[in-house]
Amino acid sequence: MTYVSQPVSVSLIMGKVLLALGLGIAAYVVYFGPAIVISLVLASVTALAAEAFMLRLRRYPVAPFLKDGSALVTAWLLALSLPALAPWWLIVGGTLFAIVVAKHLYGGLGNNLFNPAMAAYALLLVSFPAHMTQWPAVDMLAQAHLSLAETLRYIFTGRLPAGVTVDAITMATPLDFLKTQLKLGHTVHEITRAPIYGHLGGRGGEVVALAYLAGGLFLLQQRVITWHVPLAMLAALFAAALWFHVFDPDRYVAPWFHLASGGAMLGAFFIATDPVTGPTTPRGKLIFGAAIGFLVYLIRTFGGYPDGVAFAVLIMNMAVPLIDTYTQPRVIGHGRQQERP
């Protein structure tokens, strides 16, 4: 009985992932206000309803699959990737796409080729770029503060209190601001002295990133994920940023800025580690994670979007079958050529 292990249920794993996200969500609320809670509730209700509808349509038992928590994890990851002040239809539409199209039309849990949350994020970013740029300003820099009721009204009707403009409650992300100012000819040193920047990345956002890091370490300690993908992704992102920063620090921001900004930590520990859409071998996970980190840097620095986690993950999802084929361990008594189909 020494080598007999207890099976780990999907609901237990998903429960630990949701718990690990809690610290990051709390930091988000402290620095950016309660709008993210509304987004999480909207996405969760939509995801559960869509999951139940598709399970019934596919003649699967609803209750057991609904309780496994996978729909909620997808909903939370998507909501945390979207601007918290996004209109309700953007959150609901994105969640429906993630559950119905990216998950169930590919066969449901365990069969989807692409990360459902990132597939929905990419669709929304390409389709509604203007709405995807309305990020809430960090509380200490916002020119106006909305109550929970005013936030609800803005998300559902688009109306703000008299005298309050969108510019007073939203601001560019640190990555977006950096890219814009670089195009105007300013140096990194000049840009990062702006009030929106803190010690490592964007003010407030760097604390949220550290909270996601803490949640990720919890998942590692609980053996929900392994170290291969997060370490490889963050190391590759750091190394690429360091290479360019050393040669031209006036144009290329320091590597720790990249780790503490955008979706780097959320992506490394909660998105790229999806066991369904990632490689199965340790060597494959290292290749997968490193490629994502490198692509994130390329898209952030030279691409048209300020962040690149979603596109990097989706691109590498397409490469997973190839990675798995060439990283399978050799079976004793068989040559390497015999392993390949």
Side-chain angles (χ1 to χ4, degrees):
M1 295 296 289
T2 305
Y3 301 104
V4 176
S5 59
Q6 294 294 325
V8 179
S9 70
V10 174
S11 58
L12 181 61
I13 292 174
M14 296 300 170
K16 288 180 178 178
V17 173
L18 294 174
L19 180 63
L21 286 169
L23 192 58
I25 294 170
Y28 202 122
V29 171
V30 169
Y31 283 93
F32 296 96
I36 188 62
V37 177
I38 300 171
S39 297
L40 287 167
V41 172
L42 263 178
S44 298
V45 171
T46 305
L48 292 175
E51 180 90 343
F53 176 78
M54 291 304 296
L55 287 169
R56 182 65 63 87
L57 196 66
R58 299 175 61 209
R59 299 181 180 178
Y60 278 83
V62 174
F65 286 98
L66 210 58
K67 292 177 182 176
D68 68 17
S70 60
L72 279 180
V73 169
T74 297
W76 284 28
L77 291 178
L78 177 60
L80 292 170
S81 302
L82 298 178
L85 290 170
W88 68 270
W89 53 265
L90 197 75
I91 301 166
V92 170
T95 308
L96 285 174
F97 181 85
I99 299 296
V100 175
V101 178
K103 182 179 180 181
H104 278 282
L105 293 192
Y106 281 91
L109 181 65
N111 296 300
N112 47 292
L113 302 178
F114 300 99
N115 186 296
M118 292 300 97
Y121 177 87
L123 173 75
L124 296 177
L125 185 61
V126 171
S127 304
F128 309 101
H131 290 93
M132 295 290 283
T133 58
Q134 293 184 354
W135 289 88
V138 63
D139 262 2
M140 60 194 72
L141 299 177
Q143 299 171 32
H145 297 276
L146 300 181
S147 66
L148 182 59
E150 291 168 339
T151 304
L152 270 169
R153 190 173 68 171
Y154 178 68
I155 289 174
F156 280 94
T157 69
R159 288 190 300 165
L160 290 169
V164 177
T165 64
V166 173
D167 290 341
I169 59 171
T170 61
M171 61 188 290
T173 66
L175 286 169
D176 207 1
F177 186 79
L178 174 72
K179 184 168 279 189
T180 303
Q181 294 300 310
L182 283 172
K183 289 179 181 175
L184 295 175
H186 298 292
T187 67
V188 166
H189 179 69
E190 293 169 345
I191 297 168
T192 51
R193 294 173 66 184
I196 70 168
Y197 294 105
H199 300 289
L200 297 173
R203 182 172 290 187
E206 58 190 0
V207 180
V208 176
L210 290 174
Y212 286 141
L213 171 62
L217 295 177
F218 168 74
L219 292 181
L220 285 171
Q221 189 272 332
Q222 292 291 310
R223 298 185 179 180
V224 173
I225 61 175
T226 65
W227 57 269
H228 304 83
V229 171
L231 182 65
M233 176 181 163
L234 296 177
L237 178 59
F238 185 93
L242 180 64
W243 174 268
F244 285 93
H245 179 68
V246 166
F247 282 101
D248 191 352
D250 285 337
R251 180 150 188 85
Y252 300 102
V253 73
W256 45 85
F257 178 90
H258 281 281
L259 298 186
S261 300
M265 289 297 172
L266 183 66
F269 289 99
F270 294 93
I271 295 173
T273 50
D274 178 11
V276 176
T277 56
T280 56
T281 66
R283 198 151 50 104
K285 291 177 181 178
L286 289 173
I287 296 170
F288 179 76
I292 290 176
F294 187 63
L295 286 172
V296 168
Y297 183 77
L298 289 182
I299 296 171
R300 281 182 175 183
T301 307
F302 305 107
Y305 296 103
D307 205 349
V309 172
F311 290 112
V313 169
L314 292 175
I315 290 170
M316 290 313 298
N317 283 163
M318 289 189 285
V320 165
L322 186 66
I323 294 173
D324 271 343
T325 298
Y326 285 93
T327 58
Q328 291 295 327
R330 188 170 63 175
V331 177
I332 296 175
H334 292 262
R336 290 191 179 279
Q337 292 299 323
Q338 293 171 294
E339 299 167 11
R340 300 168 187 169

